[in-house]
Amino acid sequence: MSGRVLLADDHRILREGLRRSLEAQHIEVVGEAADGDEALELAEALRPDVVLMDVSMPVLDGVEATRRIRQRLPEVRVVMLTMHADETTMARAIRAGADGYLVKDCSTEEIAETVRLVAGGQTAVSREVAVSMLREVRSMPPEVEEVVSKREEEVLQLIADGCSSAEVAEQLFISQKTVKNHLASIYQKLDARDRTQAVLRAVRMGIVRLG
Amino acid sequence: MSGRVLLADDHRILREGLRRSLEAQHIEVVGEAADGDEALELAEALRPDVVLMDVSMPVLDGVEATRRIRQRLPEVRVVMLTMHADETTMARAIRAGADGYLVKDCSTEEIAETVRLVAGGQTAVSREVAVSMLREVRSMPPEVEEVVSKREEEVLQLIADGCSSAEVAEQLFISQKTVKNHLASIYQKLDARDRTQAVLRAVRMGIVRLG
DNA sequence: GGCACAACGGGCCGTTCGGCCCATTCAGAT
DNA sequence: ATCTGAATGGGCCGAACGGCCCGTTGTGCC
């Protein structure tokens, strides 16, 4: 049960360092991927026990890659790696189906231990991550994430930036009608009746940034 | 230089307590006012050296009363009294011309000392207030206050609360046209072109509260 | 007394907005 | 194989909005 591991990170140096560390801990690294798409392909081809996946990667985001891997290959576990214990990213990763969550400055022993635990069916997180999780759970009554779609979020952000419907349409290369459709959907989801209320709610919910 | 003092506070109990405390410190209390208007009238009639003024009072707000007293009677000093060391209220009070600012849970000795200092031409604040002031000064580059008029602020708040122009008019007992006029003025002052932008700026500037 | 400004208001007009109907396409879920 | 949902789009319409003109009243300031 040492575990066959696939590494997914866009930094070659980090991948090689991880490979050495894991192999020193008698964990077999069966492949390396440089982006989310490659991770998905290699996971299907190699069927590792665990994917050690960086959060931020080109082409396909680590969280999205995790979601797809867990969907198509439920027997493949995923451990997320990230620079900082960011609450919202962590929440997204866990909802995407990650079984482990590590911050990059943890020890190699900790990484190896987490890989073994996860390969054995357990879930595990760094101590830093555990602390963040408590904060997250305490402060978040419902699911705040995923209320509005990604496209709707873009529309909201542009509205918050001062754009009119026409300008949003221009920015996103879509018709004004589509913008209005997105807004209508947003109003329903956020229980708002106009752009002003929608933007205010979005600001309060942290969906958009201001200024 | 013990000082002739006018008390202005809407709570009789507090006024009487203050009177006893000050008289025990050999400070003469020449009158008591229960609201801002009365404070203004008595200040003109009695010409005290110092007015000990509560921030929140009926009819006329303590800060506004202070502004008018200082305007008409520059030789009358005002010391503000408040429940908490609230940064924005304090800033308003100081701009209105208050020479002292005390939180209500300070000792009677402290109050007496402040009254004497202010009567002698000095300015004085509680320790708690001094701390708040530092924060205030550090975080505020320009004058944020007074960009929009009080009425315009009310309109903005109601818009932020989700009201349409018609509903704002209803709430404030004015016509829709006047609301639109206020909004037009607000757009100019806040460099916004619609209610959404205006509310967002107002939120960022701390003019309105959300939720 | 005059001057500025806040607050109040009327009317007009073009644009925008939001609600309502509808259709197509494509991906993912069951 | 079907179905949901996201994203794209059209058309229509009434209400809301914002800009523009104009006015009166009151208060504070010089």
Side-chain angles (χ1 to χ4, degrees), chain B residues 68 71-72 164-165 177 180 183 187 193-195:
Chain B
R68 301 194 193 179
Q71 216 162 331
R72 299 188 197 172
S164 66
S165 295
K177 185 55 191 128
K180 289 171 72 174
L183 278 173
Y187 297 153
R193 62 174 172 182
D194 55 43
R195 57 226 293 112

Side-chain angles (χ1 to χ4, degrees), chain A residues 120-136:
Chain A
Q122 301 284 108
T123 62
V125 294
S126 307
R127 283 115 204 83
E128 297 95 322
V129 173
V131 173
S132 291
M133 280 184 68
L134 281 181
R135 270 208 303 273
E136 170 82 353

Side-chain angles (χ1 to χ4, degrees), chain B residues 77-192:
Chain B
R77 303 305 190 107
V78 177
V79 172
M80 299 296 294
L81 266 175
T82 186
M83 277 301 183
H84 305 288
D86 172 57
E87 279 96 350
T88 62
T89 307
M90 194 185 54
R92 281 208 310 140
I94 288 170
R95 289 200 198 92
D99 296 294
Y101 201 94
L102 294 172
V103 290
K104 278 186 179 170
D105 59 5
C106 63
S107 68
T108 56
E109 286 81 8
E110 197 172 352
I111 295 176
E113 178 62 16
T114 300
V115 169
R116 283 198 199 87
L117 280 173
V118 170
Q122 302 283 109
T123 62
V125 294
S126 307
R127 285 115 202 82
E128 298 93 323
V129 173
V131 173
S132 292
M133 281 184 64
L134 280 181
R135 272 209 300 275
E136 170 81 353
V137 172
R138 261 200 293 263
S139 64
M140 281 199 168
E143 285 262 324
V144 177
E145 212 84 20
E146 287 307 284
V147 228
V148 298
S149 76
K150 196 194 285 187
R151 197 57 161 172
E152 287 161 358
E153 196 176 312
E154 293 184 76
V155 172
L156 268 174
Q157 184 62 59
L158 286 169
I159 296 285
D161 289 343
C163 292
S164 66
S165 295
E167 288 164 342
V168 172
E170 237 181 291
Q171 297 274 318
L172 299 181
F173 306 105
I174 57 181
S175 81
Q176 294 191 29
K177 185 55 191 128
T178 303
V179 174
K180 289 171 72 174
N181 283 341
H182 285 313
L183 278 173
S185 170
I186 289 167
Y187 297 153
Q188 219 180 335
K189 291 177 179 176
L190 297 190
D191 188 32

Side-chain angles (χ1 to χ4, degrees), chain A residues 107-119:
Chain A
S107 67
T108 57
E109 286 81 8
E110 198 174 348
I111 296 177
E113 178 62 15
T114 300
V115 169
R116 282 198 201 90
L117 281 173
V118 170

Side-chain angles (χ1 to χ4, degrees), chain A residues 47-111:
Chain A
R47 304 294 171 118
D49 295 314
V50 175
V51 181
L52 251 181
M53 177 106 63
D54 185 27
V55 171
S56 57
M57 279 191 298
V59 188
L60 188 63
D61 168 63
V63 174
E64 270 308 303
T66 299
R67 190 189 314 281
R68 302 195 189 178
I69 288 176
R70 294 292 301 163
Q71 216 162 329
R72 301 188 194 170
L73 312 165
E75 76 281 5
V76 176
R77 303 306 191 104
V78 177
V79 172
M80 299 294 295
L81 265 175
T82 185
M83 277 303 184
H84 304 290
D86 171 59
E87 281 94 349
T88 61
T89 308
M90 195 184 55
R92 282 209 310 141
I94 288 169
R95 289 199 200 91
D99 296 292
Y101 201 96
L102 294 171
V103 290
K104 279 188 177 170
D105 58 4
C106 63
S107 67
T108 57
E109 286 81 8
E110 198 174 348
I111 296 177

